[in-house]
Amino acid sequence: SLARGLRACEIARTDDVQPEMTTSMHRSALSVAARAALGMQRFRRATMLAAELLATPLPKDVADAAKAMHATRVLLRDIHARSSEVRRSNKRLAEELSSWGR
């Protein structure tokens, strides 16, 4: 899913014929790729893709732009929550392993 999302991003990003038609596809592909990276616990990659998503032009319609920004904020919140959870879990595991060896 990550590879497919990145491939769709590249196709949409390099479209010179109708770039305004592929903007939504580019945003969707970035979102899918970021979610896939998050699922694989590749937090830096997910953050990079989310940052690229923020830099992508928003849709012209105000309602669609609001939905897109909300989805991006939710994605960033999920990345932060999941990375914090994994960091806490790893720290707890390291503490338990170090106390077990004593």
Side-chain angles (χ1 to χ4, degrees), residues 10-102:
E10 197 58 33
I11 291 168
R13 190 177 60 79
T14 58
D15 184 19
D16 294 332
V17 179
Q18 293 179 326
E20 64 280 345
M21 299 287 261
T22 57
T23 301
S24 65
M25 184 177 116
H26 187 215
R27 291 188 63 81
S28 297
L30 282 171
S31 180
V32 167
R35 289 269 174 206
L38 177 61
M40 295 186 312
Q41 294 186 5
R42 296 179 67 184
F43 302 118
R44 286 186 184 166
R45 180 71 152 170
T47 304
M48 183 199 71
L49 290 166
E52 192 173 333
L53 182 61
L54 281 171
T56 306
L58 290 171
K60 302 257 187 268
D61 185 33
V62 176
D64 289 342
K67 279 185 193 175
M69 283 306 295
H70 177 72
T72 304
R73 273 191 241 110
V74 169
L75 174 63
L76 288 169
R77 193 177 319 129
D78 290 348
I79 292 169
H80 178 72
R82 185 75 177 117
S83 65
S84 296
E85 177 185 326
V86 167
R87 199 174 310 119
R88 269 194 315 272
S89 173
N90 289 346
K91 183 178 178 183
R92 195 175 314 122
L93 180 63
E95 288 173 353
E96 288 177 12
L97 284 175
S98 67
S99 67
W100 182 66
R102 292 181 190 167

